[in-house]
Amino acid sequence: MSTLKIPTPLRSYTNGQAEVTVNGGDVASAMTSLIREYPALKPHLYSEQGELRAFVNLFLGENNIKDLQGLETPLRENDRLILIPSIAGG
Amino acid sequence: MLAVSRELLARIHRDGEEAYPEEGAGFLIGNEGSVVEIFPLPNAREDTARHNRYLITPEDYLKAELTADRLGLSLIGVFHSHPDHPNRPSEFDRDWAQPFFSYIITSVNKGKAIESRSWLLKEDRSEFLEEKIQIK
């Protein structure tokens, strides 16, 4: 079991919780577990095509998972993931 | 409705004017629909895109969140400027928007901030709805 920190604007979908527990041996499984527990998060994290939205960044400790093994980055017991949106517009 | 003081709105306008002809941006810090502080940030987009795009990096997001925590407040939205364009959200704004955040957009014409309007993303992400700015 790992923990995942939720950014402020998405906490309405996790009953106000700033951190939730997620299950899975890698980041992809942890995200699946997150959506199973809090399905209303899905449209804000995934596009209609089922891909992670461009603004979603996941950090394992201080490392962006893009610099590790992406969604296949393995998770160990008590690892801490942080979900941070890139804020952008035009 | 989003409550903002005249002084903070003036600082948001000044940020847009100083960034002109590029887009300026930052966070709104406060609580329950009331802006208490702003946190301007550098536009992290590449040089050639900064006239019509802005980007706040995850690292700067964390800095702003820590500042809000320290003040006992929350991040409640984002402000940004539209140089020589109306203060309505673009499709690109919608694609990248966060739910429950207030998005203040300031139109800056020829370097002069003209007007700000605030927008909220509908929960189904289909469009933005305007929320009234109340000067407090």
Side-chain angles (χ1 to χ4, degrees):
Chain A
M1 195 176 289
S2 309
T3 60
L4 173 61
K5 187 174 184 208
I6 304 292
T8 313
L10 298 181
R11 289 178 193 165
S12 296
Y13 299 115
T14 56
N15 307 321
Q17 297 176 92
E19 287 207 7
V20 298
T21 55
V22 286
N23 296 302
D26 59 20
V27 176
S29 311
M31 291 300 287
T32 302
S33 136
L34 174 74
I35 298 303
R36 198 166 42 234
E37 187 69 23
Y38 305 102
L41 275 174
K42 189 172 182 182
H44 301 293
L45 298 179
Y46 290 88
S47 69
E48 289 80 0
Q49 291 73 38
E51 290 170 355
L52 269 184
R53 290 190 179 276
F55 57 72
V56 175
N57 298 286
L58 286 159
F59 283 74
L60 178 56
E62 294 184 352
N63 300 305
N64 192 323
I65 63 158
K66 288 173 188 162
D67 301 324
L68 301 172
Q69 295 169 57
L71 288 169
E72 292 171 10
T73 302
L75 292 178
R76 288 173 306 187
E77 193 72 14
N78 300 322
D79 269 349
R80 186 166 184 258
L81 280 168
I82 307 175
L83 199 166
I84 307 171
S86 289
I87 301 292
Chain B
M1 186 176 305
L2 182 69
V4 189
S5 70
R6 204 171 293 282
E7 184 251 334
L8 285 178
L9 197 57
R11 280 172 58 195
I12 288 170
H13 284 193
R14 204 155 53 237
D15 184 81
E17 290 173 349
E18 285 170 3
Y20 185 90
E22 297 176 347
E23 292 198 8
F27 282 103
L28 307 171
I29 291 174
N31 52 31
E32 293 169 14
S34 179
V35 184
V36 176
E37 186 54 276
I38 64 167
F39 195 84
L41 283 161
N43 185 344
R45 283 301 300 249
E46 64 276 20
D47 290 357
T48 52
R50 286 203 291 259
H51 66 288
N52 67 349
R53 294 281 186 265
Y54 72 91
L55 172 66
I56 296 173
T57 63
E59 291 76 13
D60 281 341
Y61 181 98
L62 277 182
K63 262 191 242 169
E65 192 168 73
L66 285 173
T67 300
D69 286 349
R70 220 170 19 243
L71 295 169
L73 299 167
S74 299
L75 300 182
I76 61 165
V78 173
F79 65 90
H80 76 280
S81 58
H82 278 181
D84 299 318
H85 273 280
N87 45 13
R88 298 183 63 83
S90 62
E91 272 301 289
F92 192 81
D93 285 324
R94 187 172 65 84
D95 282 346
W96 286 72
Q98 299 299 309
F100 302 106
F101 260 10
S102 293
Y103 283 83
I104 290 183
I105 303 178
T106 303
S107 52
V108 181
N109 291 347
K110 297 188 172 76
K112 174 81 183 150
I114 303 297
E115 183 200 34
S116 295
R117 293 166 80 181
S118 186
W119 306 85
L120 282 168
L121 181 70
K122 269 178 81 172
E123 279 199 67
D124 65 4
R125 304 190 66 86
S126 62
E127 61 177 328
F128 273 102
L129 298 177
E130 185 168 9
E131 64 175 344
K132 187 175 163 45
I133 293 180
Q134 182 192 37
I135 307 295
K136 60 181 180 181

